[in-house]
Each structure stands twice: as structure tokens, then as C-alpha cells.
Amino acid sequence: KQWYQRRVREFQTFQHYFIQINLRMAATSVVESDYLKRWVGAPLTDALTEVALKRPADPIEYIALWLLRYKENEIRKAEEKANSERLAAEKKQLDEEERKRAELEEERKRIEEENAAKKAEIERALAEQAQKTEATS
């Protein structure tokens, strides 16, 4: 029961801080409010939630380090996304090159077969002509 009451008090403290932030944000202009909500709202809310739950000795330093780690993670996520997209593009290009290579190999084999057939036909025609020439001589 004490644990539950302590969590309720922590939540109420967090709620109080959140209300203060919202009141301060309401006092700013709409443009500033939108800017803060867009860029700071979610990370700061998450940081404050964690501070309320963990109760670090120095909450300001904790928030600062949390936000720094958040920013580093966001940069890493963006890099991973870019790498993933680049890898997908390279794989697509490689698949296309492999498909073209297979088509070229198929074409080469077809041409070799045609050439072999033509060569055999020419040799047969030459042999027939040589037989006719021998028969007439």
C-alpha cells in the first residue's frame, strides 16, 4: 500500500510539473508553442517521466544527460535508416545487374547455338556440293 501511495504521489508530482510546463507553453505564442511541442515535447515528457519514476539525486543533470542520450540515439536511428535505405538500393541494383547478366548469358548461349546450327548447315551444304562435284567429275 505504501508503494502504491508513493507512486501516486510521484505521479501527482509529475502531473504538477507537466501542468506547469503546459501553462508556460500556453502563455507563449502559438508559433512558439507548436515549435516546442514539435521538437521538445515528447523527449522532455519522457525525460520528466523517468525523473519522476527514478528520483535521481540531481534531476537537472539527469534530464540533461537523458536528452543528450536521446539526441545521440536519434542521430544513430537516422544513420541506421539511411544505411538501410542505401543497402536496399544497392541490393536492388545488384539484383538488376544479376538479372541483366543472366539475360546476357542466355542471349550468348542462344547465339552460340544459332552459330553452331548455321555452321553445321554450311558444312552439310559444302559436303553435298563436294559430293555433287565428285559425282559429276
Side-chain angles (χ1 to χ4, degrees):
K1 187 174 182 176
Q2 288 177 346
W3 178 85
Y4 177 75
Q5 289 174 346
R6 189 174 65 228
R7 292 293 179 210
V8 168
R9 281 193 308 272
E10 288 172 354
F11 180 74
Q12 289 170 343
T13 303
F14 167 71
Q15 199 173 24
H16 172 74
Y17 288 131
F18 191 71
I19 290 171
Q20 285 181 342
I21 289 171
N22 282 338
L23 289 175
R24 288 180 185 159
M25 288 178 73
T28 62
S29 72
V30 174
V31 173
E32 290 170 342
S33 177
D34 288 343
Y35 172 80
L36 291 174
K37 284 179 185 176
R38 180 177 180 194
W39 296 106
V40 183
L44 191 55
T45 302
D46 293 345
L48 290 174
T49 301
E50 200 164 314
V51 165
L53 293 174
K54 292 189 176 180
R55 300 281 183 166
D58 187 353
I60 302 298
E61 181 181 9
Y62 188 90
I63 290 171
L65 293 173
W66 192 96
L67 290 172
L68 181 61
R69 192 173 61 245
Y70 175 86
K71 182 63 179 175
E72 290 169 353
N73 288 339
E74 289 298 306
I75 290 170
R76 184 180 44 77
K77 285 178 190 175
E79 288 172 350
E80 286 175 357
K81 182 180 178 186
N83 288 340
S84 176
E85 289 172 354
R86 190 181 76 243
L87 183 62
E90 288 176 0
K91 184 180 183 321
K92 183 178 178 181
Q93 183 180 4
L94 184 63
D95 290 345
E96 181 66 20
E97 289 174 0
E98 185 62 33
R99 185 188 62 77
K100 286 181 181 178
R101 187 176 295 120
E103 286 176 0
L104 288 173
E105 181 63 22
E106 233 176 77
E107 181 71 11
R108 186 188 63 78
K109 286 180 181 178
R110 186 186 61 76
I111 290 171
E112 281 181 359
E113 289 172 359
E114 286 177 3
N115 286 342
K118 286 179 182 177
K119 184 178 178 182
E121 187 179 325
I122 291 171
E123 287 175 354
R124 189 175 50 249
L126 287 174
E128 286 176 9
Q129 189 175 9
Q131 285 177 354
K132 285 181 185 179
T133 308
E134 283 181 15
T136 55
S137 343

